[in-house]
Amino acid sequence: MKITWLGHASFRLEIGGKVILLDPWLDGNPSFPEDRKAEATDGATHILLTHGHFDHASEVVDMAKSLSVQIVGQFDLMNFWGETEGLDTLGFNKGGTVDLDGVKITMVHATHSSTMPGENILQSAGSECGYMIEGDGHVIYVSGDTDVMADMKIFNDLHKPDIGILCAGGHFTMDMKRASYAAKTFFDFKTVIPCHYKTFPALEQSADVMKAELSGVDVIEAEVLSPIEM
């Protein structure tokens, strides 16, 4: 299994024979090198989306069309895009699980917001969420954009994830200290990969706090387009 950070909250997950692009925001992403987009998306089989904000979803429709891949995500938004854009979508909702030929994805709760621009309005984009992704002998918890939640204890009890991909930049989501609190209070991770940081000045710029807080956990400060092999 390979986990490749694409900057901000975007990842390329190679798991169970699938190549899943998680919240792929490449155009306009200050952390992503513009000339390496083809490398990031090569062989993609699915796009997995946590919510509708521009820094997660602004490219998803065009990318799904150009790559001819299925978008997986929250039912209301998937249904909307299926009807208005003619896209191949797989919509489900919190507590539900879909099986991508051996890669099982369960949608879990997050606490944030999910909107996107409409015609002269700001419109709802379904509901924000996170995921448990199971394959290749691992369970990955993708927090999506969220704050700390007591729900996380339930997530751990039910799914026992060994890898956490946690938003940790602050301002819009939990920061390094709050994400570390969540990790050590509710989970038993072996590996944590922070994200949604470094991108803008308002966000945290290093994972030093998390590394100090999570003794005994492998906190990986990923480099863009450098695969992490698990």
Side-chain angles (χ1 to χ4, degrees), residues 192-227:
V192 169
I193 304 170
C195 67
H196 212 287
Y197 76 121
K198 292 186 178 182
T199 325
F200 309 112
L203 304 183
E204 297 213 31
Q205 300 298 306
S206 85
D208 289 348
V209 169
M210 181 176 283
K211 290 178 178 178
E213 291 278 341
L214 297 183
S215 60
V217 177
D218 186 13
V219 177
I220 299 177
E221 207 163 357
E223 297 293 333
V224 172
L225 285 167
S226 295

Side-chain angles (χ1 to χ4, degrees), residues 15-18 45-46 70 90 98-104 134:
I15 181 171
K18 302 294 181 287
T45 59
H46 299 81
Q70 185 178 63
L90 177 57
V98 296
D99 190 336
L100 306 183
D101 296 325
V103 178
K104 294 183 179 180
E134 181 179 354

Side-chain angles (χ1 to χ4, degrees), residues 170-198:
H171 196 80
F172 301 105
T173 71
M174 55 188 178
D175 59 13
M176 290 290 170
K177 187 172 183 64
R178 296 172 78 84
S180 298
Y181 172 87
K184 64 188 178 183
T185 302
F186 299 119
F187 294 101
D188 298 304
F189 294 127
K190 294 180 180 178
T191 303
V192 169
I193 304 170
C195 67
H196 212 287
Y197 76 121
K198 292 186 178 182

